[in-house]
Amino acid sequence: MTEGNFVDYVKMHVSSGNGGKGSAHLHREKYIMKGGPDGGDGGRGGHVILRGNSNLWTLIHLKFKRHFKAGHGSHGSSGRSTGADGEDIYVDVPLGTVVRDSESDTILFEITEEGEEIIVVKGGMGGRGNWHFKNSVNQTPRYAQPGIPLEELDITLELKVLADVGLVGFPNAGKSTLLSVLTSAKPKIADYEFTTLKPNLGIVEYRDFQSFVMADIPGIIEGAAEGKGLGYYFLRHIERNSILLFLIPADAKDIVKQYEILEDELRRYNPEMLDKERFVVVSKSDMLDDELKSEIAAILDKDLDANYMFISSVAQQGLIELKDTLWKMLN
């Protein structure tokens, strides 16, 4: 998933259909006098329904289509014939989509399962025909109910990525490089901060045709929870990840300190994030000799409150062991 195609925030206007009018028809037929009321009911107006689709990873298909209007119900007719229901409109969204009322900013619901269907705006009920209202006192009612009017709503769709593993780290920690090596994703890789401007997703292939999803989240900087840099906007994509994989480059001045800063930013954004499983990867370790690696490992064993591993994406060191570790944690 390239960053140019990644759309995770869309506003739209949805409108259901009017209910059809009931019929006030009186039965007329040769040789049948005073046939009485036989007006049918109006049809239901169409709903607008959001449906979960696991084949979608982004909201880009909704970027340029912002208005969805369901069909109106048909009116009732003679012979107690009920009008046709209005056409329902189905809008497919990726799993992990949060739906908000744009005006009040309240969360209406979330789509998290394949095939899950939730009605956003209900179509109006059809009006009842006059045959419903006949009785011993009023044997020839000449009135019927009108249909219930449509509903309209402005909603905001916000995607929170559903990935098994989320990559967390400062800019230039090697997250995009790791994703490009482990998956077929092709994120932009360059030697400057904030190369990644949108989350990138990739599928990591494992043994026996098994796989899991990895997400590269744009780099977090100190102060991201207050809105600095790009991290604050995209931190919500980490909320749905099963495992947080912290990447810290081997040439960092203080690996433990960097981990604590990242951990603190997540805590300040949402304390529940620290309930997730965490694993630390020291990237770019091909620049370390055995003696230096042993010294760093001694410090991490003493001061780091998480399990860790040395890897190098460029030199292909430790990647098989990393996939094995992540698979065990996921299962």
Side-chain angles (χ1 to χ4, degrees):
M1 178 64 63
T2 61
E3 66 181 37
N5 290 332
F6 189 89
V7 177
D8 61 351
Y9 188 87
V10 167
K11 289 188 174 183
M12 63 171 59
H13 180 82
V14 292
S15 173
S16 62
N18 289 316
K21 295 188 296 185
S23 170
H25 187 268
L26 298 177
H27 184 73
R28 281 170 174 67
E29 189 176 345
K30 192 176 182 179
Y31 306 123
I32 298 179
M33 298 180 62
K34 298 181 179 179
D38 69 342
D41 302 341
R44 169 185 64 79
H47 304 317
V48 177
I49 303 169
L50 260 61
R51 178 171 58 193
N53 187 335
S54 60
N55 293 319
L56 298 175
W57 295 92
T58 172
L59 297 171
I60 191 171
H61 62 295
L62 303 175
K63 185 176 182 179
F64 302 107
K65 183 172 175 57
R66 301 295 181 90
H67 295 268
F68 291 88
K69 186 176 180 64
H72 299 307
S74 300
H75 303 317
S77 58
S78 60
R80 298 188 184 181
S81 296
T82 301
D85 291 341
E87 180 187 4
D88 294 332
I89 297 297
Y90 288 86
V91 182
D92 284 350
V93 296
L95 307 187
T97 300
V98 179
V99 182
R100 297 178 181 271
D101 183 324
S102 297
E103 186 173 342
S104 64
D105 201 37
T106 56
I107 294 178
L108 303 177
F109 56 85
E110 301 178 29
I111 300 286
T112 57
E113 297 180 7
E114 167 69 16
E116 181 180 4
E117 296 181 2
I118 298 181
I119 298 174
V120 188
V121 284
K122 292 184 177 180
M125 289 180 57
R128 293 193 295 178
N130 64 346
W131 73 275
H132 286 282
F133 304 108
K134 65 179 182 180
N135 53 46
S136 58
V137 177
N138 183 10
Q139 296 184 5
T140 313
R142 298 176 183 272
Y143 55 84
Q145 289 181 329
I148 303 296
L150 56 80
E151 296 179 3
E152 294 183 280
L153 187 64
D154 289 312
I155 60 175
T156 300
L157 304 185
E158 184 179 285
L159 176 61
K160 294 184 179 181
V161 167
L162 282 172
D164 299 305
V165 180
L167 302 180
V168 182
F170 287 100
N172 281 8
K175 301 185 300 298
S176 296
T177 303
L178 178 62
L179 186 73
S180 69
V181 172
L182 292 182
T183 75
S184 58
K186 293 179 172 54
K188 183 193 293 183
I189 300 172
D191 189 23
Y192 57 88
E193 292 194 347
F194 302 119
T195 311
T196 304
L197 299 176
K198 300 280 186 179
N200 290 300
L201 297 177
I203 297 176
V204 180
E205 294 182 355
Y206 194 61
R207 297 186 179 94
D208 301 323
F209 304 103
Q210 299 176 105
S211 63
F212 56 91
V213 179
M214 181 176 284
D216 168 21
I217 310 300
I220 300 172
I221 65 172
E222 191 170 4
E226 278 75 48
K228 293 182 181 179
L230 300 171
Y232 175 73
Y233 182 75
F234 295 110
L235 280 176
R236 57 191 165 88
H237 288 298
I238 311 176
E239 291 181 344
R240 296 278 175 79
N241 299 162
S242 302
I243 296 174
L244 300 182
L245 185 63
F246 290 77
L247 257 72
I248 302 175
D251 58 351
K253 290 182 178 179
D254 189 334
I255 293 176
V256 176
K257 180 65 175 177
Q258 283 206 10
Y259 172 73
E260 291 174 348
I261 292 173
L262 292 169
E263 193 179 46
D264 185 56
E265 291 301 326
L266 296 184
R267 181 187 297 108
R268 291 160 71 184
Y269 175 75
N270 183 354
E272 293 182 2
M273 285 204 191
L274 299 186
D275 294 334
K276 298 178 181 294
E277 286 199 82
R278 286 166 279 163
F279 191 75
V280 177
V281 164
V282 181
S283 61
K284 307 179 184 180
S285 62
D286 55 311
M287 65 178 66
L288 304 176
D289 57 29
D290 292 339
E291 183 179 351
L292 189 54
K293 189 179 292 187
S294 298
E295 292 178 6
I296 294 176
I299 296 172
L300 299 182
D301 289 337
K302 178 183 175 184
D303 299 329
L304 192 67
D305 63 345
N307 294 324
Y308 67 92
M309 178 183 295
F310 290 93
I311 71 159
S312 170
S313 302
V314 175
Q316 303 275 308
Q317 295 175 359
L319 299 184
I320 295 177
E321 292 82 356
L322 176 61
K323 288 199 287 186
D324 288 339
T325 300
L326 293 175
W327 184 257
K328 289 177 182 177
M329 294 174 70
L330 288 169
N331 296 275

